[in-house]
Amino acid sequence: MKFVLPIFGLFLSFFAPFLVAQEADVQTSQPTIEGIKAALASNSLTDQERVEKLHEIGQLFFDQPDSTVFYLSKALELSKRINDSVLISDTYINFSLVDLFRDNYDNTLKYNDSATQYLNSKNRDHLLNLGVAATLKGIAYNNNEQMDQAFENILRANRFLNEAPVDEVSQNYLVQNYSDLSLIYFNIEEYTNAINSAKQALGKAKSIGATHHQADIYNTLATAYMELEEYALAEVYLDSSA
């Protein structure tokens, strides 16, 4: 039995706050877009706030890549003008997600390489973006069936994310990354490592209330314990996955 990595689990986790905001709007997302446009047209925003608003509106137009690229290009120009390395890397990461959605994995890799050029692993404020960029490179390599590079980048991502300030984004990425690692280990028949990674994913999922991840993690644990012929433990986790 082989598992396939749930590639867009990570992809969706990056946009989760925006998707929730859109779902909460009982009419359409248009008022949100119009509100951001109004804010951008005003003189009340700082340059940093303006870049963040350009990111937001680009993400709301994500189903229209040309519009997304238009707003992200403006964000990149402004973030470079004010020389804000985190916002520059944010923008490149957003560009990479556009190409990931289009299945253009070479561009996904290119944009994340650009993002990391503006980051320093010795700066704690840069660690989240370093972790996200490495994660997205892992996804791109996985989709290109370059599994060694995928594995290497997910491991690198986790090192950065575990050292980054704790927030919803970093913890969601860690849950998904550890879950993905457990599947990779399972597929190469390293069942003990698969179990250890799945337990790390489960612990973090429980700590942030990410119930949507837990059934899949329990299933991975049950299957790995079955391969080790530890059937009693497998049954416990199988029951939990139901």
Side-chain angles (χ1 to χ4, degrees), residues 210-223:
T211 55
H212 54 288
H213 288 293
Q214 293 179 31
D216 288 339
I217 298 169
Y218 281 128
N219 186 58
T220 301
L221 285 164
T223 310

Side-chain angles (χ1 to χ4, degrees), residues 24-230:
D25 190 331
V26 294
Q27 297 179 6
T28 69
S29 62
Q30 192 64 30
T32 302
I33 292 171
E34 292 306 318
I36 296 172
K37 285 183 176 180
L40 287 168
S42 75
N43 295 320
S44 61
L45 298 176
T46 66
D47 286 338
Q48 287 84 356
E49 290 170 340
R50 190 169 297 277
V51 172
E52 290 167 357
K53 289 294 183 185
L54 288 165
H55 289 166
E56 287 182 36
I57 197 168
Q59 290 157 356
L60 289 171
F61 274 115
F62 200 75
D63 58 341
Q64 303 173 45
D66 289 343
S67 295
T68 296
V69 169
F70 172 79
Y71 288 109
L72 292 181
S73 296
K74 286 183 172 293
L76 185 61
E77 179 184 356
L78 179 54
S79 58
K80 285 186 173 181
R81 190 188 311 153
I82 62 177
N83 196 29
D84 189 311
S85 56
V86 172
L87 289 177
I88 294 170
S89 66
D90 280 343
T91 308
Y92 278 123
I93 286 169
N94 275 279
F95 272 122
S96 81
L97 284 165
V98 175
D99 282 305
L100 184 62
F101 187 72
R102 290 170 161 175
D103 298 331
N104 189 336
Y105 306 126
D106 288 341
N107 273 359
T108 300
L109 295 170
K110 180 188 74 174
Y111 281 125
N112 281 294
D113 283 339
S114 295
T116 58
Q117 288 176 8
Y118 291 87
L119 301 171
N120 184 342
S121 61
K122 294 181 180 179
N123 186 330
R124 194 163 183 260
D125 291 336
H126 292 186
L127 294 176
L128 174 60
N129 280 15
L130 284 166
V132 171
T135 295
L136 296 176
K137 288 180 70 173
I139 295 173
Y141 280 124
N142 183 85
N143 284 15
N144 270 338
E145 298 184 357
Q146 296 172 268
M147 300 312 299
D148 287 345
Q149 292 94 326
F151 189 73
E152 176 185 331
N153 275 278
I154 293 174
L155 286 174
R156 181 183 297 117
N158 284 1
R159 288 196 293 273
F160 289 132
L161 293 168
N162 274 312
E163 295 176 7
V166 175
D167 64 15
E168 183 179 357
V169 175
S170 67
Q171 296 309 295
N172 269 292
Y173 268 93
L174 280 168
V175 171
Q176 188 66 58
N177 283 4
Y178 280 120
S179 182
D180 285 352
L181 282 175
S182 72
L183 302 185
I184 294 173
Y185 280 127
F186 185 94
N187 286 341
I188 61 176
E189 300 182 5
E190 292 190 17
Y191 301 121
T192 300
N193 282 334
I195 289 166
N196 289 338
S197 292
K199 285 182 175 179
Q200 286 178 292
L202 184 61
K204 289 191 174 294
K206 287 182 175 180
S207 72
I208 61 173
T211 55
H212 54 288
H213 288 293
Q214 293 179 31
D216 288 339
I217 298 169
Y218 281 128
N219 186 58
T220 301
L221 285 164
T223 310
Y225 276 118
M226 287 180 68
E227 293 292 336
L228 293 175
E229 299 183 358
E230 296 187 33

